[in-house]
Amino acid sequence: MTRRSILRGIAAAPFVGAAGAVLAPATAHAATTDPAQFALTTRTGNSYGEFADLNAGLATKLPKVDATAVLADTNRKAPRLTSAPGTSQAFEAGFTWDSADQAVDYWIPQGVTTSADAYGNGVYPEGGSNKAVLVSWYFETDPDDDGVDEYALDKGLRLTFVNYNSAAAPTYRHVLLVEPVKTATGEFSFNPIRKHAGGILWYGNLLYVVDTYKGLRVFDLNTLFQVDTTQADSCGLIDGTYYGYGYTYVLPQSGAYDNTGKFLRYSAIGLDRASTPDSLVVSEYSEDGAVDYSGTSWTGTGVPTTTTPKVVRWNLDYTTRKLSSGTPSEAVTVAQKKIQGVVSRNSKHYLSVSNGPSGTGALRTFTSGANTASTVCNLAIGCEDLSYHSSGASGWSFAESVIWNLSEYAGKRYVYAVHADGS
């Protein structure tokens, strides 16, 4: 979690490099808090119109495809991992990126989710057979964080579709995330989304992406568009042609949930299939154990009663794949700094905790209302988002339940699953 647009204007300390420092305090304290203060409100459009109408307009201009078509049209190879990457433990499976994506400094991976989130049997689409992993990346104009933009054009967010039908030889393709708009002359178009995408969640046909200061963005994986690939620095409708920064496909936003309660830092997101009903959880990042709510970028009604990082839960409607209600069903605090990912199983919560560009990450767990958290196993350096993959997923399962993680630093980028019990 290094994007300068998030940290700009915030007095944040540098990453701690000493192994173990990130885990202080050794005992993380947890307590329940009023969930109703973190309300979300559904938003179905933007200043250009309703998302449904804007995307329908694009569909009259561009070839429309779905996630299944993209998974069948991958164009890069993802080398299989045969052993635990870096400092991680309890390794089960995984892959890395091709040499270009492993080395690129301006695209940085952040979020991970799989088809085991999308459907309970682990495969996509419903009734289908695809085993897939999705990863979000953000564009960093100042990758060395020296206050000078090495890259003038911020290309926003991209989503990687990884075809994991062959664990021995995964393949993938990048897709640009966009927001549908209209041009000054009223023509249908789209813009890049210049956000962080620190966490993603795939549920049915919907993809949820955290918007740090605002809430959640939603994308319909049944609605992608094929665009012209000849202009790597152009996006949207330009002189009668649609471009997506050189990518073949763009995925337009289809909905949103805006924060209308107290400020909440939407840093990571995860699914809980063990709860009744299914639910999603959001966690907050803090540099030193206290969430910084300063600045003017926030959507909401003001700071909450505590700056201790929180895990907040919303129930999901299985039939619509949307939130059942904008009012959360649970909120707990946990005195843990540098939380990068979260998944839950009823009252048990898993956190990925980072430790800078040279320190070992950790998978930690705590129980709602309890006063301690414990380390399950080490994760790779630069650990980010989490995704739980149950052994009960009949279409794509491992011998035991695993948790997917990914790492962000160039040259140390892996997507991998560890045993949920740390064994």
Side-chain angles (χ1 to χ4, degrees):
M1 183 164 294
T2 57
R3 184 163 192 150
R4 277 175 44 79
S5 63
I6 287 184
L7 298 180
R8 188 175 288 123
I10 297 176
F15 281 114
V16 178
V22 71
L23 301 182
T27 298
H29 297 280
T32 59
T33 188
D34 177 20
Q37 65 183 307
F38 304 112
L40 285 169
T41 297
T42 303
R43 177 165 56 88
T44 59
N46 56 24
S47 60
Y48 299 93
E50 292 290 295
F51 290 127
D53 295 337
L54 295 170
N55 288 329
L58 287 171
T60 67
K61 306 293 185 180
L62 291 165
K64 179 181 172 182
V65 300
D66 60 15
T68 303
V70 176
L71 288 168
D73 189 30
T74 52
N75 62 342
R76 303 190 186 202
K77 295 179 180 180
R80 176 191 181 190
L81 289 174
T82 57
S83 60
T87 58
S88 63
Q89 299 172 320
F91 174 76
E92 172 65 34
F95 57 90
T96 186
W97 307 106
D98 70 14
S99 58
D101 287 324
Q102 183 65 256
V104 66
D105 61 349
Y106 47 81
W107 281 115
I108 302 177
Q110 291 289 288
V112 65
T113 185
T114 79
S115 51
D117 283 334
Y119 291 103
N121 66 355
V123 294
Y124 185 87
E126 189 170 23
S129 60
N130 283 305
K131 304 169 185 177
V133 179
L134 303 184
V135 171
S136 63
W137 308 60
Y138 73 88
F139 195 98
E140 178 56 82
T141 57
D142 179 20
D144 59 7
D145 202 24
D146 63 356
V148 178
D149 288 336
E150 285 77 27
Y151 303 97
L153 178 60
D154 184 347
K155 296 183 179 181
L157 304 176
R158 71 182 184 185
L159 183 71
T160 305
F161 287 75
V162 182
N163 184 323
Y164 204 73
N165 289 330
S166 171
T171 57
Y172 65 97
R173 176 182 284 279
H174 301 307
V175 167
L176 190 71
L177 294 181
V178 297
E179 181 171 359
V181 298
K182 286 185 178 180
T183 66
T185 57
E187 297 176 279
F188 295 104
S189 186
F190 46 81
N191 290 334
I193 300 173
R194 296 185 171 115
K195 297 292 182 177
H196 186 66
I200 58 176
L201 168 62
W202 186 4
Y203 191 58
N205 62 302
L206 299 183
L207 177 74
Y208 290 83
V209 179
V210 291
D211 189 330
T212 308
Y213 302 115
K214 191 167 186 174
L216 304 174
R217 292 176 183 252
V218 185
F219 300 79
D220 185 348
L221 294 178
N222 289 332
T223 303
L224 296 95
F225 296 111
Q226 187 171 353
V227 296
D228 191 288
T229 62
T230 59
Q231 299 292 328
D233 291 334
S234 297
C235 182
L237 178 62
I238 300 173
D239 296 331
T241 301
Y242 289 91
Y243 303 101
Y245 290 139
Y247 295 108
T248 299
Y249 302 105
V250 298
L251 173 58
Q253 185 173 343
S254 63
Y257 292 97
D258 292 341
N259 183 20
T260 50
K262 296 294 185 182
F263 295 167
L264 186 72
R265 193 180 186 95
Y266 291 80
S267 299
I269 188 171
L271 177 67
D272 186 351
R273 280 195 176 278
S275 65
T276 304
D278 293 346
S279 57
L280 65 80
V281 289
V282 167
S283 64
E284 294 187 291
Y285 176 86
S286 67
E287 187 69 18
D288 59 6
V291 182
D292 191 331
Y293 297 112
S294 63
T296 59
S297 300
W298 300 90
T299 297
T301 59
V303 300
T305 55
T306 176
T307 60
T308 304
K310 288 161 283 294
V311 174
V312 182
R313 180 193 304 271
W314 284 264
N315 291 335
L316 290 163
D317 183 336
Y318 178 83
T319 61
T320 64
R321 302 293 173 172
K322 299 177 181 179
L323 300 189
S324 299
S325 169
T327 301
S329 58
E330 181 186 24
V332 296
T333 62
V334 56
Q336 174 66 66
K337 64 182 180 179
K338 297 188 178 179
I339 299 170
Q340 300 283 14
V342 63
V343 289
S344 298
R345 301 288 288 174
N346 284 316
S347 61
K348 186 173 185 178
H349 310 284
Y350 295 88
L351 309 171
S352 57
V353 179
S354 65
N355 194 13
S358 59
T360 300
L363 179 65
R364 305 204 81 199
T365 188
F366 74 97
T367 302
S368 296
N371 61 1
T372 59
S374 58
T375 298
V376 178
C377 65
N378 290 339
L379 296 176
I381 294 170
C383 64
E384 286 291 329
D385 200 22
L386 297 176
S387 178
Y388 194 94
H389 190 145
S390 173
S391 61
S394 58
W396 176 24
S397 62
F398 298 100
E400 57 186 286
S401 295
V402 300
I403 295 177
W404 287 85
N405 181 238
L406 78 167
S407 47
E408 68 171 347
Y409 295 116
K412 303 175 183 177
R413 289 175 175 158
Y414 314 104
V415 183
Y416 60 98
V418 300
H419 301 154
D421 65 359
S423 62

